[in-house]
Amino acid sequence: MKILHLDQNHPLLIEQLEALGMTNVEDYSSSKLEIEQCIENYEGIVIRSRFPVDKSFLQKAKNLKFIGRVGAGLENIDVEFAKQHGIKLFNAPEGNRDAVAEHALGLLLALTNRLFIAHQEVSNGVWKREENRGEEIMDKTIGILGYGYMGKAFAKRLQGFGCKVICYDIKANLGDKYAKQVDLETFFKKTQILSVHLPLTEKTHQMINANFLSNFKQPIWLINTARGQVVNTEDLVKALQRKKVKGAGLDVLEYEKTSFEYLFTNPSQMPDAFKTLIQLDNVLLSPHIAGWTIESKAKLAQTIVDKIKRDVLD
């Protein structure tokens, strides 16, 4: 079986696939158009997020048996078309769930304790204590929106903090000893800290908007380590300014693309909402690195190898 690797991953991925008798071809620079011209020669693709694997691309992949996505989401792949043509899809949320959970917890604790602001002030010779008084998460209710691999891993990390954990998901019977599953009305009523762990779909796109935020009965802290486009940034900024949202820890952004840096080299192209967001002192940002640890790099690769071995070779 001949596999095309479109993104560089942990070496164990290619090493173990070769040991299984597969031929691995690495191409990390050719354009999508160039890849389309030769994709029919391959039975497998391994990709992270280099370009969308859409219908037009898949139509040219006449011999494709599987796609391995070294990451959690499948939104860059035409899932329905792939399934209709018998192409197996493998992703690896098991591989970076622990990294995401730890990062979400880090964002939450840094945000509620104003650690980033305090660090900057002390580094500049400013010693403020009362202004940097934090909030404890003990006795608060943390609502996890989306209770899959990432949500469950985050709930597990919250044990020992003395907080109450609830979750909401469109799928039933997902609650466990770490989080109690509740209906949406209860979720809005009880949640004081919201952590988002939703995939990006047509239904979740900009799901967290003005209307959604208005349903919470108390001001909330918001953590998003899922997908940036799940949140409407303009509405979030307004909620932050009105203190409906006390603070936000965002590892992902609505404007997140390969051209993200372009917003800074061409300020006129920067959305007004984003200009405001990066100036707020109750916002903490990171560059989509929640699942990006030394350990998760190996775990993600191993997960893909294991799934190919189980579902393609066996």
Side-chain angles (χ1 to χ4, degrees):
M1 184 171 286
K2 198 172 180 182
I3 302 174
L4 178 62
H5 296 258
L6 294 169
D7 288 294
Q8 199 159 11
N9 292 293
H10 195 284
L12 74 81
L13 200 157
I14 289 179
E15 290 169 4
Q16 293 190 25
L17 291 178
E18 285 182 349
L20 292 170
M22 297 187 172
T23 299
N24 296 276
V25 177
E26 301 170 72
D27 189 335
Y28 307 140
S29 60
S30 295
S31 68
K32 182 182 177 185
L33 181 61
E34 290 171 326
I35 296 294
E36 286 179 349
Q37 293 171 356
C38 66
I39 193 60
E40 65 179 354
N41 298 322
Y42 298 93
E43 287 80 39
I45 297 173
V46 176
I47 191 170
R48 283 203 315 267
S49 302
R50 186 163 148 203
F51 55 70
V53 181
D54 51 24
K55 181 179 178 179
S56 65
F57 182 90
L58 291 173
Q59 285 175 327
K60 297 176 178 65
K62 301 182 185 303
N63 296 304
L64 200 61
K65 302 291 189 295
F66 73 86
I67 301 170
R69 202 259 150 168
V70 187
L74 292 172
E75 65 269 17
N76 274 351
I77 300 172
D78 190 327
V79 174
E80 291 305 315
F81 186 86
K83 288 181 177 178
Q84 288 169 10
H85 289 77
I87 300 170
K88 295 181 179 180
L89 301 176
F90 307 127
N91 60 337
E94 307 95 323
N96 62 356
R97 59 185 168 187
D98 297 321
V100 170
E102 290 187 13
H103 195 92
L105 183 57
L107 282 175
L108 175 58
L109 294 176
L111 191 65
T112 54
N113 289 284
R114 295 178 57 85
L115 293 182
F116 179 65
I117 298 298
H119 166 76
Q120 287 187 313
E121 290 177 349
V122 173
S123 297
N124 287 299
V126 179
W127 191 266
K128 293 181 179 179
R129 298 187 66 217
E130 184 58 37
E131 293 86 346
N132 286 309
R133 191 181 289 274
E135 281 192 28
E136 298 173 16
I137 64 174
M138 185 174 182
D139 293 327
K140 288 186 172 61
T141 298
I142 299 181
I144 299 177
L145 187 61
Y147 204 58
Y149 285 105
M150 310 302 175
K152 287 177 181 289
F154 182 56
K156 187 175 181 180
R157 296 306 184 285
L158 292 169
Q159 304 306 299
F161 279 89
C163 53
K164 303 177 184 69
V165 185
I166 60 176
C167 65
Y168 175 78
D169 197 292
I170 57 173
K171 296 180 181 178
N173 303 315
L174 293 180
D176 53 24
K177 63 181 179 180
Y178 303 120
K180 179 182 178 182
Q181 189 166 6
V182 299
D183 58 37
L184 195 53
E185 182 179 356
T186 303
F187 190 82
F188 284 133
K189 181 179 180 181
K190 299 290 187 181
T191 296
Q192 296 168 285
I193 298 168
L194 171 65
S195 188
V196 182
H197 298 276
L198 295 170
L200 180 60
T201 67
E202 289 183 3
K203 291 184 178 179
T204 64
H205 181 261
Q206 299 219 332
M207 175 179 171
I208 301 176
N209 53 27
N211 181 60
F212 187 89
L213 293 171
S214 69
N215 286 306
F216 287 97
K217 304 306 178 186
Q218 335 178 39
I220 61 168
W221 298 90
L222 187 150
I223 305 295
N224 186 13
T225 52
R227 288 292 183 264
Q229 292 185 6
V230 169
V231 177
N232 181 301
T233 308
E234 185 176 352
D235 290 351
L236 173 60
V237 166
K238 291 177 181 177
L240 285 161
Q241 292 172 326
R242 298 197 314 268
K243 304 301 182 184
K244 179 69 178 180
V245 175
K246 294 181 179 180
L250 309 174
D251 180 55
V252 288
L253 293 167
E254 180 182 352
Y255 316 107
E256 187 179 334
K257 295 180 180 177
T258 54
S259 60
F260 174 74
E261 292 83 357
Y262 179 79
L263 296 178
F264 289 86
T265 56
N266 296 271
S268 63
Q269 301 298 314
M270 185 180 291
D272 290 339
F274 186 54
K275 289 179 184 177
T276 304
L277 185 76
I278 60 178
Q279 293 173 355
L280 296 174
D281 66 0
N282 57 343
V283 173
L284 187 59
L285 305 173
S286 57
H288 201 151
I289 55 170
W292 206 253
T293 61
I294 295 169
E295 293 82 1
S296 71
K297 185 175 182 179
K299 290 179 186 177
L300 286 164
Q302 189 64 59
T303 300
I304 293 298
V305 171
D306 292 344
K307 290 184 177 181
I308 291 173
K309 183 179 180 181
R310 182 191 68 201
D311 296 332
V312 176
L313 298 182
D314 291 350

